[in-house]
Amino acid sequence: MTQQVISANRLGDGIVVYLAADSSWSERISGSVIAMDETAADALLREAKQAEQDRVVIDPYLIDVAEVDGVVRPIKYREFIRATGPSVRPDLSKQSYVPDTGA
């Protein structure tokens, strides 16, 4: 199984967010909790659907990710753009991509 994380949009401002290990929502994909198997993915999706019921986020869903050089990256380009912001002017994005180098 491919590694997966939960993506959604925060209901208050529409920003793309990712479910974190502490059940909060991170604006950075590097802050997301990664499901390593189908059982974990299903549990994360149930937790995210509860957050949708609680009107914290809207339309949560699983996305495929891979860790490249210790950095979590979406596999599909659509999700990469959602994680990093506009491809033509990333400096204008609220979520401009800054790789998590661990430093």
Side-chain angles (χ1 to χ4, degrees), residues 49-86:
K49 291 292 185 183
Q50 182 58 53
E52 184 177 38
Q53 292 290 316
D54 296 340
R55 298 182 180 166
V56 176
V57 295
I58 190 157
D59 195 24
Y61 58 97
L62 290 161
I63 65 168
D64 295 339
V65 296
E67 289 187 71
V68 179
D69 296 328
V71 177
V72 178
R73 291 183 178 259
I75 291 175
K76 294 187 176 176
Y77 192 63
R78 176 185 185 272
E79 297 303 331
F80 182 79
I81 291 172
R82 282 174 49 87
T84 60

Side-chain angles (χ1 to χ4, degrees), residues 5-20:
V5 302
I6 297 287
S7 180
N9 290 82
R10 190 168 43 215
L11 198 56
D13 57 12
I15 296 293
V16 175
V17 290
Y18 302 91
L19 183 61

Side-chain angles (χ1 to χ4, degrees), residues 15 28 73 77 80-99:
I15 296 293
R28 304 261 183 217
R73 291 183 178 259
Y77 192 63
F80 182 79
I81 291 172
R82 282 174 49 87
T84 60
S87 59
V88 291
R89 292 286 312 265
D91 57 311
L92 298 178
S93 172
K94 287 183 177 179
Q95 297 173 286
S96 60
Y97 183 66
V98 178

